[in-house]
Amino acid sequence: MSLRISIVGMGRIGTQAARRLLAAEPDIALTLYDIEPERCEDFRGSATLATSAREALAESDTIVLALPREREIDRTLERFSDGEVSAPIAGKLIVDLDPPPAERARRLDQAIASAGGRYTCAPLLAAGAISAEARLLRALTRSA
């Protein structure tokens, strides 16, 4: 079964992650989203280009966040003033490539867990050897 991964945020880090994933996992079902759609255009034909963050979340079991600020993470996960995640992420792994400071990451982890998802930062599982998640994280974190 092929991996189903979405990357939200196609700046430098997200673009690099997409290239590495496509090179490491040829059968990957990759979905990309950026608030500026033209950032995804180089991947047309090798990835699905989502029209919204919600669509990107729905398409995959693993969601890679390559977002510059917590505000963008909150928008993507539909996390508003109450701190709860309202986006449909139950059963999904949320991988943060540029995590917030420790206390904010802890609160985000709790909010994602409350919504039925799992949260991790890319370096944390990179040492794992067997799971698809570990392969994903190795592909994302190895040097170019």
Side-chain angles (χ1 to χ4, degrees):
M1 183 169 134
S2 70
L3 293 172
R4 294 179 348 137
I5 298 172
S6 288
I7 299 175
V8 178
M10 291 300 294
R12 184 183 57 78
I13 292 172
T15 297
Q16 196 172 58
R19 285 192 179 115
R20 289 178 182 172
L21 281 170
L22 288 166
E25 296 288 337
D27 295 330
I28 193 170
L30 186 62
T31 299
L32 306 175
Y33 173 73
D34 194 278
I35 197 163
E36 297 178 27
E38 62 276 3
R39 289 182 170 186
C40 301
E41 282 300 319
D42 286 348
F43 295 94
R44 185 174 293 281
S46 55
T48 299
L49 308 186
T51 58
S52 68
R54 188 171 258 266
E55 180 186 348
L57 292 175
E59 288 293 319
S60 300
D61 306 310
T62 300
I63 312 303
V64 176
L65 302 177
L67 299 166
R69 290 176 294 279
E70 192 174 10
R71 179 178 69 225
E72 284 86 2
I73 292 171
D74 288 346
R75 283 186 192 139
T76 298
L77 299 178
E78 299 173 23
R79 183 173 175 235
F80 303 109
S81 58
D82 64 1
E84 298 299 315
V85 170
S86 59
I89 60 165
K92 298 181 186 284
L93 172 66
I94 310 299
V95 179
D96 198 341
L97 295 184
D98 190 16
E103 180 56 29
R104 288 187 196 155
R106 186 188 63 74
R107 287 195 308 268
L108 182 58
D109 180 34
Q110 289 174 336
I112 288 170
S114 292
R118 293 175 296 137
Y119 174 75
T120 191
C121 303
L124 296 181
L125 286 179
I130 298 174
S131 72
E133 293 163 5
R135 287 196 325 268
L136 159 70
L137 295 171
R138 269 201 315 271
L140 291 173
T141 59
R142 74 172 190 244
S143 58

